[in-house]
Short mmCIF file of all heavy atoms in Angstrom, two decimals:
data_model
loop_
_atom_site.label_atom_id
_atom_site.label_comp_id
_atom_site.label_asym_id
_atom_site.label_seq_id
_atom_site.Cartn_x
_atom_site.Cartn_y
_atom_site.Cartn_z
N LEU A 810 -82.07 51.85 -111.56
CA LEU A 810 -81.73 50.77 -112.49
C LEU A 810 -83.01 50.23 -113.08
O LEU A 810 -83.91 49.81 -112.35
CB LEU A 810 -80.97 49.66 -111.76
CG LEU A 810 -79.74 50.07 -110.96
CD1 LEU A 810 -79.09 48.84 -110.32
CD2 LEU A 810 -78.75 50.83 -111.82
N GLN A 811 -83.11 50.24 -114.40
CA GLN A 811 -84.28 49.70 -115.08
C GLN A 811 -83.86 48.47 -115.89
O GLN A 811 -82.98 48.55 -116.73
CB GLN A 811 -84.89 50.74 -116.03
CG GLN A 811 -85.57 51.87 -115.31
CD GLN A 811 -86.26 52.83 -116.29
OE1 GLN A 811 -86.01 52.82 -117.48
NE2 GLN A 811 -87.11 53.67 -115.75
N VAL A 812 -84.52 47.37 -115.58
CA VAL A 812 -84.27 46.10 -116.26
C VAL A 812 -85.64 45.55 -116.66
O VAL A 812 -86.58 45.61 -115.87
CB VAL A 812 -83.53 45.11 -115.32
CG1 VAL A 812 -83.33 43.76 -115.97
CG2 VAL A 812 -82.19 45.70 -114.86
N PRO A 813 -85.78 45.01 -117.88
CA PRO A 813 -87.08 44.48 -118.30
C PRO A 813 -87.63 43.44 -117.33
O PRO A 813 -86.89 42.58 -116.81
CB PRO A 813 -86.78 43.85 -119.67
CG PRO A 813 -85.58 44.61 -120.17
CD PRO A 813 -84.77 44.91 -118.95
N THR A 814 -88.94 43.49 -117.11
CA THR A 814 -89.60 42.62 -116.14
C THR A 814 -89.37 41.14 -116.43
O THR A 814 -89.11 40.36 -115.51
CB THR A 814 -91.11 42.93 -116.10
OG1 THR A 814 -91.27 44.30 -115.72
CG2 THR A 814 -91.84 42.05 -115.10
N ALA A 815 -89.44 40.73 -117.68
CA ALA A 815 -89.25 39.32 -118.02
C ALA A 815 -87.86 38.84 -117.60
O ALA A 815 -87.70 37.70 -117.11
CB ALA A 815 -89.46 39.09 -119.51
N ILE A 816 -86.87 39.69 -117.74
CA ILE A 816 -85.50 39.33 -117.34
C ILE A 816 -85.41 39.23 -115.83
O ILE A 816 -84.79 38.31 -115.28
CB ILE A 816 -84.49 40.33 -117.92
CG1 ILE A 816 -84.40 40.11 -119.43
CG2 ILE A 816 -83.12 40.19 -117.27
CD1 ILE A 816 -83.60 41.13 -120.17
N LEU A 817 -86.06 40.16 -115.12
CA LEU A 817 -86.06 40.12 -113.65
C LEU A 817 -86.72 38.83 -113.16
O LEU A 817 -86.21 38.18 -112.23
CB LEU A 817 -86.77 41.33 -113.08
CG LEU A 817 -86.12 42.67 -113.33
CD1 LEU A 817 -87.03 43.80 -112.86
CD2 LEU A 817 -84.78 42.76 -112.62
N GLN A 818 -87.85 38.48 -113.75
CA GLN A 818 -88.55 37.26 -113.34
C GLN A 818 -87.66 36.03 -113.54
O GLN A 818 -87.55 35.19 -112.65
CB GLN A 818 -89.86 37.12 -114.11
CG GLN A 818 -90.89 38.13 -113.68
CD GLN A 818 -92.12 38.15 -114.57
OE1 GLN A 818 -92.05 37.91 -115.76
NE2 GLN A 818 -93.26 38.45 -113.96
N GLN A 819 -87.01 35.94 -114.69
CA GLN A 819 -86.13 34.81 -114.96
C GLN A 819 -84.94 34.80 -114.00
O GLN A 819 -84.59 33.76 -113.45
CB GLN A 819 -85.64 34.85 -116.42
CG GLN A 819 -84.69 33.73 -116.78
CD GLN A 819 -85.33 32.36 -116.66
OE1 GLN A 819 -86.51 32.19 -116.96
NE2 GLN A 819 -84.57 31.39 -116.21
N ARG A 820 -84.35 35.96 -113.78
CA ARG A 820 -83.18 36.07 -112.92
C ARG A 820 -83.51 35.66 -111.48
O ARG A 820 -82.77 34.91 -110.85
CB ARG A 820 -82.71 37.53 -112.95
CG ARG A 820 -81.34 37.77 -112.38
CD ARG A 820 -80.96 39.22 -112.49
NE ARG A 820 -80.64 39.62 -113.86
CZ ARG A 820 -80.37 40.86 -114.23
NH1 ARG A 820 -80.38 41.84 -113.34
NH2 ARG A 820 -80.07 41.14 -115.48
N LEU A 821 -84.64 36.13 -110.98
CA LEU A 821 -85.00 35.85 -109.59
C LEU A 821 -85.44 34.41 -109.37
O LEU A 821 -85.08 33.80 -108.37
CB LEU A 821 -86.10 36.81 -109.13
CG LEU A 821 -85.66 38.26 -108.97
CD1 LEU A 821 -86.86 39.17 -108.78
CD2 LEU A 821 -84.68 38.41 -107.82
N THR A 822 -86.22 33.86 -110.29
CA THR A 822 -86.69 32.49 -110.10
C THR A 822 -85.59 31.47 -110.34
O THR A 822 -85.75 30.30 -110.00
CB THR A 822 -87.91 32.19 -110.99
OG1 THR A 822 -87.56 32.40 -112.36
CG2 THR A 822 -89.11 33.04 -110.61
N SER A 823 -84.46 31.90 -110.87
CA SER A 823 -83.32 31.02 -111.10
C SER A 823 -82.29 31.11 -109.97
O SER A 823 -81.23 30.50 -110.04
CB SER A 823 -82.63 31.39 -112.43
OG SER A 823 -83.52 31.25 -113.49
N ARG A 824 -82.60 31.89 -108.94
CA ARG A 824 -81.65 32.15 -107.86
C ARG A 824 -81.79 31.10 -106.75
O ARG A 824 -82.89 30.81 -106.29
CB ARG A 824 -81.91 33.56 -107.32
CG ARG A 824 -80.87 34.06 -106.37
CD ARG A 824 -80.89 35.55 -106.24
NE ARG A 824 -82.12 36.08 -105.68
CZ ARG A 824 -82.33 37.35 -105.41
NH1 ARG A 824 -81.37 38.23 -105.63
NH2 ARG A 824 -83.46 37.77 -104.93
N TRP A 825 -80.65 30.57 -106.29
CA TRP A 825 -80.60 29.60 -105.21
C TRP A 825 -79.54 30.05 -104.20
O TRP A 825 -78.57 30.70 -104.56
CB TRP A 825 -80.27 28.21 -105.75
CG TRP A 825 -81.43 27.67 -106.55
CD1 TRP A 825 -81.72 27.97 -107.85
CD2 TRP A 825 -82.45 26.82 -106.08
NE1 TRP A 825 -82.87 27.33 -108.22
CE2 TRP A 825 -83.34 26.60 -107.15
CE3 TRP A 825 -82.71 26.20 -104.86
CZ2 TRP A 825 -84.47 25.81 -107.04
CZ3 TRP A 825 -83.82 25.38 -104.76
CH2 TRP A 825 -84.69 25.20 -105.83
N LEU A 826 -79.72 29.67 -102.96
CA LEU A 826 -78.93 30.20 -101.85
C LEU A 826 -78.38 29.08 -100.98
O LEU A 826 -79.06 28.09 -100.72
CB LEU A 826 -79.85 31.10 -101.01
CG LEU A 826 -79.38 31.61 -99.67
CD1 LEU A 826 -78.36 32.72 -99.86
CD2 LEU A 826 -80.57 32.12 -98.87
N HIS A 827 -77.14 29.29 -100.52
CA HIS A 827 -76.59 28.43 -99.47
C HIS A 827 -76.85 29.16 -98.16
O HIS A 827 -76.23 30.20 -97.89
CB HIS A 827 -75.09 28.20 -99.67
CG HIS A 827 -74.50 27.39 -98.56
ND1 HIS A 827 -73.64 27.93 -97.62
CD2 HIS A 827 -74.69 26.09 -98.21
CE1 HIS A 827 -73.31 27.00 -96.75
NE2 HIS A 827 -73.93 25.87 -97.09
N PRO A 828 -77.80 28.66 -97.36
CA PRO A 828 -78.22 29.40 -96.16
C PRO A 828 -77.11 29.68 -95.16
O PRO A 828 -77.09 30.75 -94.55
CB PRO A 828 -79.29 28.49 -95.52
CG PRO A 828 -79.68 27.52 -96.56
CD PRO A 828 -78.54 27.41 -97.53
N GLY A 829 -76.16 28.78 -95.00
CA GLY A 829 -75.11 28.96 -94.00
C GLY A 829 -74.15 30.09 -94.31
O GLY A 829 -73.65 30.77 -93.41
N SER A 830 -73.88 30.33 -95.59
CA SER A 830 -72.88 31.33 -95.96
C SER A 830 -73.47 32.55 -96.65
O SER A 830 -72.82 33.59 -96.72
CB SER A 830 -71.85 30.70 -96.92
OG SER A 830 -72.48 30.39 -98.15
N GLY A 831 -74.66 32.39 -97.22
CA GLY A 831 -75.24 33.47 -98.01
C GLY A 831 -74.79 33.47 -99.46
O GLY A 831 -75.17 34.34 -100.24
N ARG A 832 -73.99 32.46 -99.87
CA ARG A 832 -73.56 32.37 -101.26
C ARG A 832 -74.78 32.20 -102.15
O ARG A 832 -75.67 31.41 -101.86
CB ARG A 832 -72.61 31.19 -101.48
CG ARG A 832 -71.17 31.50 -101.14
CD ARG A 832 -70.25 30.33 -101.48
NE ARG A 832 -70.48 29.18 -100.62
CZ ARG A 832 -70.02 29.06 -99.38
NH1 ARG A 832 -69.30 30.03 -98.85
NH2 ARG A 832 -70.27 27.98 -98.68
N ILE A 833 -74.79 32.94 -103.25
CA ILE A 833 -75.92 32.91 -104.17
C ILE A 833 -75.47 32.30 -105.49
O ILE A 833 -74.42 32.65 -106.03
CB ILE A 833 -76.50 34.31 -104.39
CG1 ILE A 833 -77.08 34.84 -103.08
CG2 ILE A 833 -77.56 34.30 -105.48
CD1 ILE A 833 -77.58 36.26 -103.14
N TYR A 834 -76.29 31.42 -105.99
CA TYR A 834 -76.08 30.79 -107.30
C TYR A 834 -77.26 31.15 -108.18
O TYR A 834 -78.34 31.49 -107.70
CB TYR A 834 -76.00 29.27 -107.16
CG TYR A 834 -74.85 28.80 -106.33
CD1 TYR A 834 -74.97 28.65 -104.95
CD2 TYR A 834 -73.62 28.51 -106.90
CE1 TYR A 834 -73.91 28.22 -104.17
CE2 TYR A 834 -72.55 28.08 -106.13
CZ TYR A 834 -72.71 27.94 -104.77
OH TYR A 834 -71.65 27.52 -104.00
N ASN A 835 -77.07 31.06 -109.49
CA ASN A 835 -78.14 31.29 -110.43
C ASN A 835 -78.03 30.21 -111.50
O ASN A 835 -76.97 30.05 -112.10
CB ASN A 835 -78.06 32.69 -111.05
CG ASN A 835 -79.28 33.02 -111.86
OD1 ASN A 835 -79.53 32.40 -112.88
ND2 ASN A 835 -80.04 33.99 -111.39
N THR A 836 -79.13 29.50 -111.73
CA THR A 836 -79.09 28.39 -112.68
C THR A 836 -78.90 28.84 -114.12
O THR A 836 -78.67 28.02 -115.00
CB THR A 836 -80.36 27.52 -112.57
OG1 THR A 836 -81.51 28.34 -112.80
CG2 THR A 836 -80.45 26.87 -111.21
N GLU A 837 -78.96 30.16 -114.37
CA GLU A 837 -78.76 30.69 -115.71
C GLU A 837 -77.31 31.11 -115.98
O GLU A 837 -76.79 30.89 -117.05
CB GLU A 837 -79.68 31.90 -115.95
CG GLU A 837 -81.15 31.57 -115.90
CD GLU A 837 -81.57 30.65 -117.03
OE1 GLU A 837 -81.16 30.88 -118.17
OE2 GLU A 837 -82.31 29.69 -116.75
N PHE A 838 -76.65 31.74 -114.98
CA PHE A 838 -75.33 32.30 -115.26
C PHE A 838 -74.29 32.10 -114.17
O PHE A 838 -73.14 32.47 -114.35
CB PHE A 838 -75.42 33.79 -115.61
CG PHE A 838 -76.05 34.63 -114.54
CD1 PHE A 838 -75.32 35.12 -113.48
CD2 PHE A 838 -77.39 34.95 -114.62
CE1 PHE A 838 -75.90 35.90 -112.50
CE2 PHE A 838 -77.99 35.74 -113.64
CZ PHE A 838 -77.24 36.21 -112.58
N ASN A 839 -74.64 31.52 -113.04
CA ASN A 839 -73.68 31.26 -111.97
C ASN A 839 -74.06 29.93 -111.32
O ASN A 839 -74.41 29.88 -110.15
CB ASN A 839 -73.70 32.41 -110.94
CG ASN A 839 -72.68 32.20 -109.85
OD1 ASN A 839 -71.63 31.60 -110.06
ND2 ASN A 839 -72.99 32.69 -108.66
N LYS A 840 -74.02 28.88 -112.12
CA LYS A 840 -74.48 27.57 -111.69
C LYS A 840 -73.53 26.96 -110.66
O LYS A 840 -72.31 27.13 -110.77
CB LYS A 840 -74.57 26.62 -112.88
CG LYS A 840 -75.56 27.04 -113.92
CD LYS A 840 -75.54 26.09 -115.10
CE LYS A 840 -76.49 26.59 -116.17
NZ LYS A 840 -76.54 25.69 -117.32
N PRO A 841 -74.08 26.22 -109.68
CA PRO A 841 -73.20 25.45 -108.81
C PRO A 841 -72.58 24.31 -109.62
O PRO A 841 -73.11 23.90 -110.66
CB PRO A 841 -74.15 24.91 -107.74
CG PRO A 841 -75.50 24.93 -108.36
CD PRO A 841 -75.49 26.06 -109.36
N LEU A 842 -71.45 23.80 -109.17
CA LEU A 842 -70.79 22.70 -109.87
C LEU A 842 -71.70 21.47 -109.97
O LEU A 842 -71.71 20.77 -110.98
CB LEU A 842 -69.48 22.34 -109.18
CG LEU A 842 -68.42 23.45 -109.16
CD1 LEU A 842 -67.23 23.05 -108.29
CD2 LEU A 842 -67.98 23.80 -110.57
N VAL A 843 -72.44 21.22 -108.90
CA VAL A 843 -73.43 20.13 -108.87
C VAL A 843 -74.78 20.78 -108.57
O VAL A 843 -74.92 21.52 -107.59
CB VAL A 843 -73.09 19.09 -107.77
CG1 VAL A 843 -74.17 18.03 -107.67
CG2 VAL A 843 -71.72 18.48 -108.03
N GLN A 844 -75.76 20.51 -109.43
CA GLN A 844 -77.07 21.14 -109.28
C GLN A 844 -77.64 20.90 -107.89
O GLN A 844 -77.67 19.78 -107.39
CB GLN A 844 -78.03 20.58 -110.32
CG GLN A 844 -79.39 21.26 -110.28
CD GLN A 844 -80.31 20.75 -111.38
OE1 GLN A 844 -79.90 20.06 -112.29
NE2 GLN A 844 -81.56 21.13 -111.28
N GLY A 845 -78.06 22.01 -107.24
CA GLY A 845 -78.71 21.94 -105.93
C GLY A 845 -77.78 21.81 -104.75
O GLY A 845 -78.23 21.63 -103.62
N VAL A 846 -76.44 21.91 -105.00
CA VAL A 846 -75.47 21.68 -103.93
C VAL A 846 -74.45 22.82 -103.90
O VAL A 846 -73.95 23.24 -104.94
CB VAL A 846 -74.74 20.33 -104.15
CG1 VAL A 846 -73.67 20.09 -103.10
CG2 VAL A 846 -75.74 19.18 -104.17
N ASP A 847 -74.13 23.30 -102.69
CA ASP A 847 -73.13 24.36 -102.53
C ASP A 847 -71.75 23.85 -102.94
O ASP A 847 -71.35 22.74 -102.57
CB ASP A 847 -73.10 24.82 -101.06
CG ASP A 847 -72.08 25.92 -100.83
OD1 ASP A 847 -72.21 26.98 -101.46
OD2 ASP A 847 -71.15 25.72 -100.02
N ASP A 848 -71.03 24.66 -103.72
CA ASP A 848 -69.71 24.28 -104.23
C ASP A 848 -68.70 24.01 -103.12
O ASP A 848 -67.82 23.16 -103.27
CB ASP A 848 -69.14 25.38 -105.13
CG ASP A 848 -69.88 25.51 -106.45
OD1 ASP A 848 -70.70 24.63 -106.79
OD2 ASP A 848 -69.63 26.52 -107.15
N ILE A 849 -68.77 24.74 -102.03
CA ILE A 849 -67.73 24.65 -100.99
C ILE A 849 -68.05 23.60 -99.94
O ILE A 849 -67.21 22.78 -99.59
CB ILE A 849 -67.51 26.04 -100.36
CG1 ILE A 849 -66.96 26.98 -101.44
CG2 ILE A 849 -66.57 25.97 -99.16
CD1 ILE A 849 -66.84 28.42 -101.04
#
Side-chain angles (χ1 to χ4, degrees):
L810 307 181
Q811 289 184 345
V812 177
T814 300
I816 289 172
L817 295 172
Q818 289 171 327
Q819 179 62 36
R820 194 178 287 175
L821 291 169
T822 58
S823 300
R824 190 161 63 176
W825 290 82
L826 170 75
H827 176 250
S830 67
R832 277 185 292 281
I833 295 175
Y834 297 89
N835 189 294
T836 57
E837 296 295 315
F838 58 84
N839 183 31
K840 297 177 184 182
L842 297 172
V843 176
Q844 184 177 349
V846 177
D847 181 59
D848 290 349
I849 296 173

